[in-house]
Amino acid sequence: MHVPDGFLDAPTSVATAAVAAGGVALALRGARRELDERTAPLAGLTAAFVFAVQMVNFPVGAGTSGHLMGGVLAAVLVGPWTAVLCMTVVLVVQALLFADGGLTALGTNVTLLGLVAIAVGWAVFRLLAAVLPTTRGGVLAAAGTAAFVSVPVAALAFAGLFAVGGVADVAVGTVAAAMGGVHVLIGLGEAAITVAVVGAVLAVRPDLVHGARALRRATLLAERPTSVPAGAR
């Protein structure tokens, strides 16, 4: 869902650029609490993976295709603040080297894919993680649902921006219906990829998954030996 140049007017593009800059500045501070010498390499790998997979499109019908957005995947693996930085790096490289999204729309894309999608997806993930069982399946269900929800929400956020500053002669309702409908299908692919990747990392290095901290604590408590009172022997 990369927004190209020329879809939004200059004032709207400048406003989203300001929002994106503020969000990235906050993320730079927040990421200090998420990253350490163990998790920093995973952040780099996550950004590289999202970049690579975004280059692969899958069909969603009616001649349209979609690709992974990756915001929730990154947030679950390395934390929401670090995920914003990962997505920003990916979007900057794509805009500069591959003309994917456009330079004047970079702030819009960072706002939608790096801020809105991650904020909404992380909120859904945390909510579901709090009510679902603290198990591997619970983490994956929360991650998949959050990833699915984040995609159409980001698409509808674009429709809102288009209503404010769209330059094409297309009705806002038409844009919202088209974006929402297609991105519901894309969200299914987003959920499947997110579950697959998070599940793979949980299988080999659950200690590195930011979103599985409660699962790690529950596992440690379950494995802790129970002390036997001396008088009971």
Side-chain angles (χ1 to χ4, degrees):
M1 193 190 68
H2 290 72
V3 179
D5 290 328
F7 265 52
L8 301 176
D9 59 20
T12 305
S13 296
V14 170
T16 56
V19 171
V24 171
L26 290 174
L28 285 169
R29 298 182 60 181
R32 298 175 186 174
R33 301 189 297 270
E34 297 173 344
L35 293 175
D36 55 33
E37 60 182 12
R38 294 184 310 110
T39 57
L42 180 60
L45 290 173
T46 300
F49 177 81
V50 170
F51 175 83
V53 178
Q54 280 195 3
M55 306 299 286
V56 179
N57 288 350
F58 51 84
V60 295
T64 61
S65 62
H67 62 72
L68 176 79
M69 285 171 46
V72 172
L73 170 61
V76 174
L77 290 178
V78 296
W81 296 116
T82 306
V84 171
L85 300 182
C86 290
M87 292 300 299
T88 300
V89 170
V90 168
L91 292 169
V92 168
V93 171
Q94 288 175 338
L96 291 177
L97 299 184
F98 297 94
D100 193 356
L103 289 177
T104 62
L106 182 58
T108 301
N109 286 316
V110 171
T111 298
L112 295 175
L113 279 72
L115 299 181
V116 173
I118 291 174
V120 171
W122 183 248
V124 172
F125 175 80
R126 289 293 301 272
L127 176 63
L128 292 178
V131 299
L132 291 174
T134 309
T135 61
R136 182 175 182 272
V139 172
L140 294 180
T145 305
F148 169 75
V149 171
S150 70
V151 176
V153 168
L156 292 177
F158 167 74
L161 291 176
F162 186 84
V164 174
V167 298
D169 188 18
V170 182
V172 175
T174 301
V175 172
M179 291 291 290
V182 169
H183 282 83
V184 165
L185 298 177
I186 294 174
L188 297 175
E190 182 91 10
I193 295 172
T194 299
V195 169
V197 175
V198 173
V201 179
L202 279 175
V204 293
R205 289 298 303 270
D207 58 304
L208 295 181
V209 179
H210 182 86
R213 291 173 298 173
L215 176 59
R216 294 199 301 273
R217 288 193 294 267
T219 302
L220 290 174
L221 288 174
E223 295 175 349
R224 181 177 300 175
T226 304
S227 58
V228 180
R233 296 180 181 178

